[in-house]
Amino acid sequence: MPNASARPKHGRRARRRRRVDPARDQLVSSSLESAQQSLLNQDYGTAFVHYLLVLNLAPVFKDFAQDSFRLTLFKWAEELDSVGRIQELFDCYEQALEIFPADEVILNSMGEHLFRMGFRDEAAGHFHKALKMKPDFPEARENFYRVANWLVERWHFLMLNDHGRNRKYQQAIQKAVQNGCKTVLDIGTGTGILGMCAKKAGAAEVYACELSKTMYELACEVVAANGMEGSIKILHKKSLEMEVPTDIPNRVSLVVTETVDAGLFGEGIIESLIHAWHHLLLPPKRGEGEFGEDSATGRVIPAGAAVFCMAVECLEIRRHHRWCAAEVGGLSMAAAGELRSLVSCSPEQDDSTEPYTTERLSRLTGGYRALTEPFTALTIDFNNVQELEGLSSREVREMRLPVTQEGELDALAVWFQLHLDEENSLSTGPQEDTCWEQAIYPVHSAMSFGLKPLDELIVEVSCQDTYLRLSCVAVLREGHRIYLDKRTDFPNSFKPIPNPNPEVELCSELACLQTSQSESEDFCMLEYSEMALLNNQDYHQSFCTALTKLISELKVKNRNRNTVGTASFVADSSLLYVLDVSEGFSLLSLIAAHQGQVKAYSTVEKSKQQNVLRRLARSNNISEQHLEFWLNHTEDEQGMLQRPSHEKLWSAIILDCVETCGLVRQKLMEKASLARFLLEEGGRIFPEKIVVYGMLVESDTLLLESAVQGREPTLGFNIAPFINQFTVPVHVFLDFSTLECRHLSEALELFVLDLMDVNKNYTEREVKVQTTSGGRVTAVPFWYQIHLDPDVSVSTLSRNSHWKQAAAILQDPLQVQAGDWVRLAVKLHKSTISISAHLDNAPVQMD
Ligand code: 44T
């Protein structure tokens, strides 16, 4: 231990302070002693306070105390977390980072807490910083890869790789600047590309703003690397917070922006432009024929847009947004009540949740069928502030779409044309070869509805908050309105009865009025992946089969034991205990309890979802005592997997092993090891084994979504090396069945994770595979066969899977010829799979 009174090496000020303050030295040394003693006594709160005092008063102890301080912080944070003192927890981390601002372990750990609390962006920022401090810190790297998507969303790569889009924006900007727009503001600059275009085109003054901190920092780097740091002023601000002259000296003559999402308005462009017209832009040109310099008036690129919509039938959308199964794993679902996907939109919904999801229609598994022609839902002139203001205050409008094809109504698909100027426009339509996805407004009605030609679909359009909202309200058939949103009236029938006459129609309207109150209380929301899981019959059937087998085996064993030792017989000992630790909504506990003599524990947390399970238990004759909810804190695996009672162990523990995105769940193996200790003899973990499969593919699409491609600068600017720092080697949420790619090998086994026998596990494996055709191996998509027992398994690649797939992107594509052997090195660090590939040129050994 360093001597507290030793003479510090540096700083006259410090020397002076130290010399004149023996009381302070005394305080430091006694505090340090208390800190160490408290740490030994596991009194982490006290230890933390003492360490803080010591390190603030005497930074000279930093090196010496760093490890103990970290330990104290982590232990204390654990305690605070377990009792829900979250604010204090973050205060402690902030204090710790004031002392050790560059400590990668503290940064990473704070990131983990932030992530668990749902602060994903902030978490991502911390992992990124930790990695910058120590690039070979595997924990931070793994965490960073998991969240890099939130820091720099993947579409940035797509957009920068979309040369058509880049060129059109460049042309429009160039023309505007040449026509006199000499002062420019780029709203939502991202990497800074549009601002740089304006500067290159000859603009005198260019300003840019960006609300995301990471993107702002990236834009600064990019602009500097292109020698424009002195000529483009970038602000880390939302445009709505900008004003003249604080942020920019004068109003500008051109605003350029691409703050549009798949639903056009989701990034707040209406509000941003209304604000810009009032505060940041010069007044607009008054009339078409107005003469004079463009430098005296203001305008916006894009000049306007047209939004299109079309009704579609699509099984893939249906199974993710509507509950389609009357029976699941042997349970009757009649009493479930209404289950709705979170992405559902009704005009009365006033929250700010996105009313749509996004998909590339052309890539949906099983395709889609257009039931109407594309219909113009709305046009908007971004250069007309009255029109922009009118849009947000406009009443709900009704639109009628003539049905052209027979089919089931699953969703409205929406896209738009963005008119940059009179000559250049971009379309995000499903037929276009662009980077854009379409906005999908799923129909939320529980019943299916068959549309027929000559029907007219009545759609309500509104734009009262940030989002364009579209909602299918009724169908006009033979002059009658059939409302789509009356569901639970017919619990057992999935087909509504069309109203034969106006009287019935009136009744139906009345029914709507009566039920609207209770409806909002009744329905239970599910994530779209939870909905797809509920609709995944194979999954539930497999669990049902495996559970039935295990439970009947254990029942026989129990019976034998009880008949032998009758004296020790207690009523409860015949009960079997099953714990389902699935994330989110899961029916597996009920399926277990349905076997009889089973007490099942569910980890479903949301009260509405718990109510659904209770209702289903009742209606499926499962005694109320046989279903319990495990209310412990989910993060605390130790508590999570405790035994049900002192004398009993678990008969089965169901682990949720693969995330919807296609990755192995974090801490899966730790959970499995813990679970194994808690099993009764003959008990099982479900699944017992996971086999990872993969395939060599050539896919340009995957590359375009992973990094800015090619050696050519983007529009002449050096951007790629900067944004590509955010490239991650694993691509998630992939639909392998519709991925545009060439298969260069058969599917092969990459890795085996044994959850029942830890000794069988390894962390690295080399596999060889022979290519079936020549090409460039760019990626290895992978998926899982989840073995519940030796006979029953589920594949995450199956057609009805609620899982997506993931793919490892190779650092350097590998050129192969048909018949070449490729050596794959597969590594599993914690739950992260990494793959590298090399040509295996060694001659094949002949026996
Ligand atoms: N994604 C489309 C949206 N911003 C594109 O922080 C198409 C999605 C997409 N900054 C697949 C494909 C595609 N003031 O960095 C963002 C954002 C920033 C602002 C300052 C404001 N008022 C705003 C509003 C937004 O602007 C940047 C671009 S916005 C989204 C663009 C390729 N999935």
Side-chain angles (χ1 to χ4, degrees):
M1 163 183 167
N3 184 348
S5 57
R7 225 164 144 230
K9 292 190 276 296
H10 36 246
R12 269 178 56 204
R13 249 179 62 220
R15 214 180 306 140
R16 201 171 338 115
R17 247 194 289 129
R18 294 194 58 75
R19 208 183 316 123
V20 294
D21 208 348
R24 174 201 167 99
D25 287 351
Q26 182 56 43
L27 178 63
V28 166
S29 112
S30 70
S31 251
L32 186 58
E33 224 165 86
S34 307
Q36 290 164 326
Q37 197 51 51
S38 308
L39 179 58
L40 276 178
N41 299 341
Q42 301 184 355
D43 178 359
Y44 304 117
T46 311
F48 185 73
V49 176
H50 282 295
Y51 272 126
L52 270 189
L53 187 71
V54 171
L55 295 173
N56 275 310
L57 289 179
V60 68
F61 286 110
K62 275 190 188 177
D63 282 349
F64 163 74
Q66 189 161 10
D67 286 344
S68 319
F69 177 69
R70 272 185 193 153
L71 178 68
T72 310
L73 168 69
F74 298 155
K75 289 285 187 190
W76 180 224
E78 238 171 59
E79 266 183 44
L80 289 173
D81 192 17
S82 68
V83 292
R85 288 161 66 182
I86 304 304
Q87 187 55 50
E88 280 167 81
L89 183 156
F90 288 123
D91 288 347
C92 289
Y93 269 98
E94 262 154 32
Q95 287 164 323
L97 284 172
E98 268 170 35
I99 300 172
F100 295 108
D103 187 309
E104 71 281 357
V105 187
I106 298 181
L107 282 164
N108 181 58
S109 171
M110 176 152 177
E112 287 176 350
H113 282 289
L114 283 164
F115 186 74
R116 263 184 283 156
M117 294 294 143
F119 302 107
R120 291 167 172 176
D121 290 9
E122 291 84 347
H126 280 74
F127 299 142
H128 186 49
K129 243 193 214 161
L131 208 52
K132 269 197 168 164
M133 298 301 162
K134 192 161 186 263
D136 59 347
F137 181 24
E139 273 73 17
R141 182 156 293 275
E142 185 185 331
N143 284 331
F144 176 68
Y145 285 160
R146 282 193 182 247
V147 298
N149 301 4
W150 283 296
L151 272 187
V152 174
E153 291 185 62
R154 302 298 95 178
W155 49 255
H156 282 287
F157 298 116
L158 279 171
M159 292 179 92
L160 290 167
N161 282 321
D162 185 343
H163 302 290
R165 164 253 179 195
N166 295 344
R167 222 172 316 110
K168 284 179 185 166
Y169 255 101
Q170 186 179 39
Q171 276 168 11
I173 292 171
Q174 214 164 26
K175 215 172 67 184
V177 173
Q178 280 161 6
N179 284 343
C181 294
K182 295 290 188 232
T183 54
V184 183
L185 168 65
D186 175 2
I187 295 182
T189 194
T191 52
I193 187 168
L194 301 186
M196 292 195 294
C197 280
K199 193 72 222 172
K200 196 172 169 186
E205 291 169 35
V206 179
Y207 307 94
C209 64
E210 172 54 57
L211 60 86
S212 139
K213 184 152 183 271
T214 311
M215 290 314 297
Y216 159 76
E217 285 167 359
L218 190 62
C220 293
E221 267 186 90
V222 170
V223 164
N226 287 278
M228 297 189 195
E229 71 266 55
S231 43
I232 300 181
K233 181 181 172 190
I234 311 176
L235 297 143
H236 175 214
K237 266 202 174 166
K238 192 168 186 171
S239 65
L240 297 171
E241 286 151 17
M242 286 174 65
E243 47 189 63
V244 173
T246 333
D247 299 298
I248 54 174
N250 296 297
R251 286 173 177 252
V252 294
S253 51
L254 178 65
V255 158
V256 295
T257 188
E258 201 180 13
T259 49
V260 288
D261 68 338
L264 187 62
F265 300 141
E267 290 281 345
I269 192 169
I270 301 290
E271 208 188 351
S272 311
L273 290 182
I274 293 174
H275 170 267
W277 277 115
H278 285 306
H279 302 282
L280 308 170
L281 267 165
L282 287 163
K285 249 187 191 161
R286 260 166 289 136
E288 277 300 310
E290 187 187 355
F291 293 103
E293 266 287 289
D294 267 1
S295 58
T297 56
R299 56 174 282 206
V300 177
I301 293 179
V307 181
F308 306 98
C309 96
M310 174 175 90
V312 296
E313 175 185 270
C314 175
L315 262 173
E316 189 65 5
I317 297 176
R318 188 184 312 161
R319 70 186 188 93
H320 280 91
H321 297 282
R322 262 183 20 232
W323 161 51
C324 318
E327 207 191 271
V328 178
L331 296 170
S332 156
M333 295 293 287
E338 194 190 343
L339 304 171
R340 269 200 195 188
S341 119
L342 264 175
V343 191
S344 62
C345 169
S346 52
E348 74 266 18
Q349 207 169 315
D350 61 345
D351 55 355
S352 55
T353 54
E354 275 190 18
Y356 48 84
T357 160
T358 66
E359 295 283 358
R360 204 153 307 169
L361 279 179
S362 61
R363 275 200 211 163
L364 279 171
T365 317
Y368 68 96
R369 260 158 44 83
L371 305 181
T372 65
E373 294 290 324
F375 199 87
T376 309
L378 184 123
T379 59
I380 178 78
D381 178 356
F382 292 136
N383 283 309
N384 184 335
V385 71
Q386 286 79 26
E387 205 178 304
L388 290 166
E389 284 168 337
L391 197 62
S392 44
S393 57
R394 193 147 85 187
E395 288 294 293
V396 176
R397 235 173 8 111
E398 205 175 88
M399 206 168 56
R400 290 185 181 187
L401 277 69
V403 175
T404 52
Q405 289 286 322
E406 185 165 334
E408 204 164 303
L409 174 64
D410 289 316
L412 293 172
V414 166
W415 64 92
F416 56 87
Q417 208 169 6
L418 201 58
H419 304 297
L420 302 185
D421 58 14
E422 299 81 16
E423 285 153 41
N424 292 292
S425 63
L426 304 172
S427 166
T428 69
Q431 318 288 357
E432 309 287 330
D433 182 27
T434 69
C435 60
W436 282 90
E437 297 182 334
Q438 289 75 50
I440 304 293
Y441 294 74
V443 168
H444 55 250
S445 156
M447 297 175 288
S448 63
F449 196 95
L451 292 178
K452 293 196 272 197
L454 300 183
D455 283 349
E456 280 188 297
L457 183 61
I458 299 177
V459 176
E460 286 185 351
V461 186
S462 67
C463 194
Q464 281 155 351
D465 48 20
T466 313
Y467 300 106
L468 173 68
R469 291 180 188 273
L470 297 181
S471 174
C472 296
V473 283
V475 173
L476 205 58
R477 179 173 292 171
E478 291 159 13
H480 306 302
R481 267 183 186 230
I482 308 164
Y483 286 92
L484 298 176
D485 201 18
K486 287 182 287 74
R487 40 211 160 237
T488 36
D489 310 356
F490 327 99
N492 293 321
S493 127
F494 285 92
K495 292 270 173 213
I497 306 146
N499 293 341
N501 61 46
E503 240 173 84
V504 179
E505 190 191 322
L506 265 179
C507 291
S508 115
E509 288 203 39
L510 200 60
C512 253
L513 285 177
Q514 283 172 344
T515 51
S516 60
Q517 184 69 35
S518 59
E519 269 162 17
S520 60
E521 286 161 17
D522 273 358
F523 62 71
C524 168
M525 297 297 225
L526 297 180
E527 302 265 352
Y528 71 88
S529 54
E530 292 174 321
M531 188 66 88
L533 171 61
L534 202 57
N535 285 323
N536 186 346
Q537 293 281 359
D538 297 343
Y539 176 88
H540 291 98
Q541 199 45 54
S542 303
F543 266 98
C544 188
T545 311
L547 276 164
T548 309
K549 203 160 59 173
L550 171 71
I551 287 165
S552 57
E553 274 167 27
L554 291 175
K555 275 183 190 167
V556 171
K557 223 174 73 195
N558 249 353
R559 214 173 301 132
N560 294 344
R561 192 170 14 161
N562 287 336
T563 46
V564 175
T566 24
S568 67
F569 180 81
V570 276
D572 252 12
S573 73
S574 62
L575 265 186
L576 300 172
Y577 290 82
V578 174
L579 173 65
D580 173 17
V581 274
S582 299
E583 301 273 326
F585 187 68
S586 166
L587 288 176
L588 298 180
S589 57
L590 271 191
I591 291 177
H594 201 214
Q595 309 293 319
Q597 281 183 49
V598 170
K599 177 152 181 165
Y601 287 75
S602 160
T603 50
V604 165
E605 275 183 296
K606 296 187 180 132
S607 69
K608 281 200 169 177
Q609 297 185 351
Q610 292 188 350
N611 288 341
V612 172
L613 290 184
R614 283 197 196 96
R615 272 203 298 275
L616 287 173
R618 229 172 291 134
S619 69
N620 283 281
N621 297 322
I622 297 166
S623 140
E624 221 163 274
Q625 284 107 41
H626 286 180
L627 174 68
E628 280 213 24
F629 294 98
W630 200 266
L631 293 171
N632 285 11
H633 207 248
T634 7
E635 266 71 56
D636 177 10
E637 298 102 55
Q638 203 74 42
M640 193 70 193
L641 297 170
Q642 272 165 8
R643 58 192 65 183
S645 64
H646 292 302
E647 67 283 3
K648 280 296 283 189
L649 288 163
W650 297 102
S651 308
I653 296 178
I654 301 168
L655 295 176
D656 200 352
C657 46
V658 179
E659 288 181 37
T660 322
C661 70
L663 297 179
V664 174
R665 246 182 225 293
Q666 274 185 311
K667 303 209 172 156
L668 173 70
M669 297 316 274
E670 286 98 315
K671 278 190 185 169
S673 334
L674 206 58
R676 269 195 309 273
F677 285 110
L678 302 167
L679 292 179
E680 67 168 302
E681 199 193 321
R684 274 182 178 280
I685 304 177
F686 290 119
E688 59 165 23
K689 187 172 82 171
I690 302 167
V691 183
V692 188
Y693 288 91
M695 184 188 280
L696 306 185
V697 304
E698 171 171 340
S699 167
D700 290 338
T701 312
L702 273 182
L703 292 184
L704 293 178
E705 294 178 12
S706 305
V708 177
Q709 298 294 311
R711 289 187 212 288
E712 286 295 303
T714 319
L715 291 182
F717 303 117
N718 180 17
I719 299 179
F722 301 95
I723 189 150
N724 285 352
Q725 291 176 57
F726 292 88
T727 297
V728 297
V730 175
H731 196 104
V732 290
F733 281 113
L734 189 83
D735 245 319
F736 185 37
S737 67
T738 53
L739 176 72
E740 285 173 76
C741 69
R742 287 184 53 227
H743 295 187
L744 301 181
S745 77
E746 305 281 348
L748 73 143
E749 183 187 300
L750 294 178
F751 215 85
V752 181
L753 292 167
D754 198 314
L755 280 79
M756 282 298 272
D757 186 351
V758 74
N759 295 324
K760 285 200 191 146
N761 284 325
Y762 42 85
T763 52
E764 281 189 57
R765 185 186 187 192
E766 209 174 76
V767 274
K768 284 186 186 174
V769 54
Q770 193 170 26
T771 57
T772 47
S773 48
R776 237 160 48 104
V777 186
T778 56
V780 183
F782 55 89
W783 60 94
Y784 312 89
Q785 193 77 30
I786 301 173
H787 294 268
L788 303 183
D789 66 24
D791 309 313
V792 184
S793 71
V794 189
S795 165
T796 66
L797 192 62
S798 74
R799 201 168 46 86
N800 285 321
S801 163
H802 60 287
W803 288 288
K804 300 280 184 192
Q805 289 78 51
I809 313 293
L810 297 188
Q811 197 140 39
D812 299 302
L814 188 69
Q815 195 67 45
V816 295
Q817 297 188 340
D820 276 351
W821 282 89
V822 173
R823 222 166 1 99
L824 291 177
V826 189
K827 278 188 202 161
L828 185 81
H829 179 260
K830 298 213 167 165
S831 303
T832 302
I833 291 173
S834 60
I835 302 175
S836 61
H838 303 279
L839 262 185
D840 192 56
N841 290 325
V844 180
Q845 295 263 316
M846 303 290 270
D847 282 335

